[in-house]
């Protein structure tokens, strides 16, 4: 993944149009499109809904980036393991 690919995607998300996004980055539309396609291929997910007159970023899937799908959300079982033992009285 290249920083320029992320910059192009950011411009595309702002402009919502390949031509305007490419112009704002001082590249051709085909360069912009190719970079975004490579980024999509590398990540394995579609990032852009392409249309004739505009483009929109794809909404994230419910389980693609959520903390619970990554296993980083604590559960009741996890909290019992991380709690200190009760004090003896």
């Amino acid at each position: 993944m290249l920083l320029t690919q992320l910059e192009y995607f950011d411009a595309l998300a702002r402009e919502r149009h390949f031509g305007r996004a490419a112009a704002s980055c001082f590249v051709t539309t085909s360069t912009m499109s190719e970079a975004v396609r490579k980024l999509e291929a590398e990540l394995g997910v579609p990032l852009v809904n392409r249309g004739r007159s505009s483009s929109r970023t794809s909404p994230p899937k419910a389980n693609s980036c959520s903390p619970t799908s990554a296993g980083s959300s604590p559960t009741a079982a996890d909290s019992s393991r991380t709690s200190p033992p009760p004090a003896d009285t």
Side-chain angles (χ1 to χ4, degrees), residues 11-78:
L12 185 58
R14 275 193 325 267
E15 298 292 338
R16 296 177 177 239
H17 188 272
F18 274 93
R20 289 191 300 265
S24 73
C25 293
F26 306 102
V27 296
T28 64
T29 305
S30 60
T31 298
M32 171 76 63
S33 181
E34 182 67 23
V36 172
R37 282 191 193 278
K38 284 181 180 179
L39 183 60
E40 288 174 320
E42 189 171 336
L43 296 174
V45 295
L47 300 174
V48 178
N49 291 326
R50 291 166 171 84
R52 291 198 141 239
S53 62
S54 66
S55 61
R56 293 183 295 159
T57 54
S58 298
K61 292 183 180 177
N63 62 359
S64 63
C65 296
S66 66
T68 55
S69 68
S72 62
S73 178
T75 63
D78 293 336

